[in-house]
Structures are given as structure tokens and as C-alpha cells.
Amino acid sequence: DIQLTQSPSFLSASVGDRVTITCRATQDIRSYLAWYQQKSGTAPKLLIYAATTLQNGVPSRFSGSGSRTEFTLTISSVQPEDVATYYCQHLNSSPFTFGPGTKVDI
Amino acid sequence: EVQLVQSGAEVKKPGESLKISCKGSGYAFGTYWIGWVRQMPGKDLEWLGIIYPDDSDTIYSPSFQGQVTISADRSISTAYLQWSTLKASDTAIYYCARHLRRGGDFYGIDVWGQGTTVTVSS
């Protein structure tokens, strides 16, 4: 199975900071990577799919980049409402595993 | 509005069976792959598997194959996750999840249910 790692596992930022989270895959997953935001006590929400495509309704401060084995999620100017855990998921081949998550605090 | 609405919280004893449900609305239920994701208390997300309701084609994660059964009834737009023998380690929140697929490839989970909490304790 393809495994995903994320770094950092936790970060603390100030409002307005640029925040970058990295997701690495153990094999080439082309661009079949999605990013999710999960706020405490709620279901995850899709932010980015196909590595770089912003899901409808997601603020433009979120962006994704990367391909093959290394990907990043960037929040250009972090806001208080961005406090959450962020997960990557690959969809290259079953099983569609998730990364271990990055907790973002403000 | 596209929605997935899951059945309510369950408290069961080890060894009991259970079937939880997820009803879709606002879209053509049969033509989207729908699956299940587990989140154990304080832990990460785990992908269990998916089903295509129109023909019941099912893909399981090897880690969950044989441990759970995924099914769907397209006539009532409902997907199910079932256990025949529950264990304490099945305690978790289970989310149903509509998978975005285009041109034969999967791209992400674009719609999530609200989650069903399953507690297994003697």
C-alpha cells in the first residue's frame, strides 16, 4: 500500500502568516492527491483535489501544489477560522489512504 | 442540496452485530461511488472501502476486507456498513463519503455524512 507522511505534525501561526504543510507519498501517485480540513467535532471538508484544483466554495487563500511524491498545501494568509487538522489523501490506487494529519493552531 | 445523512449513534456489546446507514439526497445516488471512513477516538482518518450503488461493485481496503461489509440499496438511495461480530476496537466515528470520480479516476471525497458514533463496550 502507498503510505503518506505529513510535516509538520503541529504548527502554531499568527493571523496573516503564510502556512505550508507538506505531504509525501512512498510511491509516485501522479497528481491524485486531495487535501481536507477537519474542524473539531465535525466531518472533514474537501479543500483541494487533483493536487492543485480548489474545490468550489473554498477560499482562495488555500492552494495546492506538487506531483508524484511531494505535495504542499499553502494557506497564504491564515485566519482564525483556519484552526483545524489538515489531512492529505491519495487516490492513485486502492486503498486510498490518508496522511496522519497536521494540526494548525493560531 | 446534496446531502448524506447517517443513522444515529449506537452502543453495542462485543460479539453483537450492527448495520449503520447513510442516505443520500439531492443527486443521482446510484451513479456516484460512496464509501466509509473510520476515525477512532483522537486518531487519524482510515479509508475502509467504496461501493458503486448501480451495480454494487465494491472495493475494500485490505485492512478491512473480511472485517466489515459495505452494501447499498439504490432504490432507497442508502448505503450501509455492517459488522457481524463487533469488537471493542471497532469503537469509532464512521463517516460515509461520496467519492468524486471523473473519466475513470478518483479525485477526492466531495460530500461527507455527519458521522455515526459506534461504541462497543461490555
Side-chain angles (χ1 to χ4, degrees):
Chain A
D1 297 354
I2 297 170
Q3 307 299 321
L4 299 177
T5 60
Q6 287 184 235
S7 60
S9 54
F10 173 83
L11 71 88
S12 184
S14 299
V15 174
D17 282 354
R18 182 181 183 88
V19 165
T20 298
I21 299 168
T22 298
C23 177
R24 291 186 174 88
T26 54
Q27 298 175 36
D28 182 352
I29 58 170
R30 297 174 285 175
S31 294
Y32 294 108
L33 190 96
W35 289 97
Y36 303 89
Q37 175 193 65
Q38 186 179 32
K39 297 184 178 181
S40 181
T42 69
K45 171 188 171 184
L46 179 64
L47 299 175
I48 302 280
Y49 63 92
T52 62
T53 303
L54 195 68
Q55 172 70 342
N56 290 342
V58 174
S60 58
R61 64 180 180 273
F62 292 93
S63 65
S65 64
S67 66
R68 303 191 66 179
T69 62
E70 188 157 332
F71 303 84
T72 59
L73 173 71
T74 299
I75 309 173
S76 60
S77 176
V78 73
Q79 300 300 305
E81 60 266 31
D82 299 335
V83 168
T85 300
Y86 293 83
Y87 294 93
C88 56
Q89 181 196 26
H90 87 83
L91 297 106
N92 183 72
S93 57
S94 175
F96 300 155
T97 51
F98 292 87
T102 295
K103 189 170 184 178
V104 173
D105 195 15
I106 304 292
Chain B
E1 180 192 4
V2 175
Q3 281 191 99
L4 297 174
V5 178
Q6 298 184 228
S7 50
E10 300 275 1
V11 180
K12 292 287 191 178
K13 291 181 168 37
E16 293 185 332
S17 63
L18 176 64
K19 191 173 189 178
I20 61 175
S21 66
C22 168
K23 184 173 177 62
S25 61
Y27 73 99
F29 183 81
T31 62
Y32 283 81
W33 288 80
I34 188 161
W36 294 89
V37 174
R38 181 175 85 173
Q39 189 164 39
M40 298 174 75
K43 299 296 186 183
D44 310 329
L45 304 170
E46 298 173 276
W47 187 85
L48 279 65
I50 48 175
I51 188 167
Y52 190 69
D54 253 8
D55 62 8
S56 294
D57 187 16
T58 309
I59 303 171
Y60 288 96
S61 165
S63 298
F64 292 94
Q65 178 95 45
Q67 308 304 307
V68 297
T69 301
I70 295 171
S71 61
D73 183 343
R74 66 178 181 172
S75 69
I76 56 172
S77 300
T78 301
Y80 301 97
L81 180 64
Q82 184 173 3
W83 296 259
S84 57
T85 307
L86 284 161
K87 299 174 282 193
S89 57
D90 293 317
T91 295
I93 298 172
Y94 293 86
Y95 294 102
C96 65
R98 190 181 84 164
H99 284 55
L100 181 63
R101 192 179 195 198
R102 293 176 184 165
D105 295 319
F106 291 96
Y107 287 94
I109 297 169
D110 64 342
V111 184
W112 294 73
Q114 82 276 20
T116 295
T117 299
V118 174
T119 303
V120 184
S121 174
S122 55

